[in-house]
Amino acid sequence: MSANAHSDAPLIAGLLLAAGGGRRLGGRPKALLPYRGRPLVENAVRVLREAGCGPVHVVLGASAAEVRERADLSGCVVVDNPDWAQGMGSSLRAGLTSLAGTGARAALVSLVDQPGIGPAAVARVLRAYRSPTSLVAAAYDGERGHPVLFGADRWADIAATATGDKGARVHLARHAGELMLVECADIAEAFDIDTPPDLARLL
């Protein structure tokens, strides 16, 4: 059962980073890549919702206006990141800032270009939440991957150290001893859609 399945469960927000411009894909925004007849961003939102995240915040960047027009993001809080070209760190900062005042006790961060990670893996990471200091990541054969759950008490430090494409790696390195890894290789595949050959995985 998901972390938000009961009214008294802690509110854990889904934070979807979907701002990338797909530079290695010839400049095709990843959010709009076709997947099962719809934009890829819709699949990522569905996964977060089915796993039990709420609310769901979506950070857009490249071709944000087109994504808003073509993708059904109803019910989501859509966050525009004008600095998306600076790297994932800026999108993570924008997303965490947007969660202020929501009452969320944690944010589960996922990436738009990992369709092999479904609701089962996300829900497994959600269930590892213990407190606003929680630090949890999915693992694949022992290697840290996504999604990653950050308790709210960690957001300020993550935002302060998230620069370039490092995302939360500085915070994760500093607090490696506090990180709980949740093995998900049995229920998910953690591949990215980064290059033209990867597009075959969307078929």
Side-chain angles (χ1 to χ4, degrees):
M1 187 167 291
S2 70
N4 290 350
H6 300 297
S7 59
D8 59 348
L11 194 67
I12 300 179
L15 178 53
L16 176 62
L17 305 186
R23 177 176 53 82
R24 287 182 285 174
L25 291 168
R28 301 170 65 184
K30 292 186 176 184
L32 289 176
L33 292 174
Y35 183 63
R36 297 178 179 175
R38 297 298 303 167
L40 188 57
V41 66
E42 291 184 12
N43 173 73
V45 168
R46 176 190 62 80
V47 166
L48 290 173
R49 285 181 171 151
E50 289 185 6
C53 292
V56 174
H57 288 219
V58 181
V59 181
L60 300 180
S63 302
E66 185 180 0
V67 176
R68 286 174 179 268
E69 180 180 340
R70 291 177 51 191
D72 180 6
L73 299 177
S74 54
C76 298
V77 175
V78 180
V79 182
D80 284 316
N81 175 21
D83 300 320
W84 65 269
Q86 295 179 10
M88 186 189 301
S90 65
S91 292
L92 183 56
R93 290 197 307 272
L96 290 175
T97 297
S98 75
L99 291 174
T102 63
R105 306 296 298 277
L108 184 135
V109 179
S110 67
L111 307 181
V112 74
D113 66 342
Q114 294 188 320
I117 300 174
V122 175
R124 189 177 284 183
V125 174
L126 281 181
R127 287 194 294 270
Y129 171 84
R130 295 294 180 269
S131 76
T133 64
S134 286
L135 186 62
V136 186
Y140 301 89
D141 296 324
E143 295 294 321
R144 176 173 57 82
H146 283 88
V148 183
L149 183 147
F150 302 117
D153 288 356
R154 297 183 180 274
W155 295 354
D157 184 67
I158 292 169
T161 57
T163 59
D165 278 322
K166 293 179 180 179
R169 278 181 281 184
V170 172
H171 184 87
L172 288 167
R174 288 178 178 172
H175 300 277
E178 302 161 43
L179 176 65
M180 177 189 296
L181 292 179
V182 177
E183 186 58 50
C184 292
D186 59 318
I187 53 173
E189 293 183 274
F191 59 83
D192 300 326
I193 306 299
D194 283 333
T195 64
D198 296 334
L199 294 174
R201 292 180 175 268
L202 297 176
L203 299 178

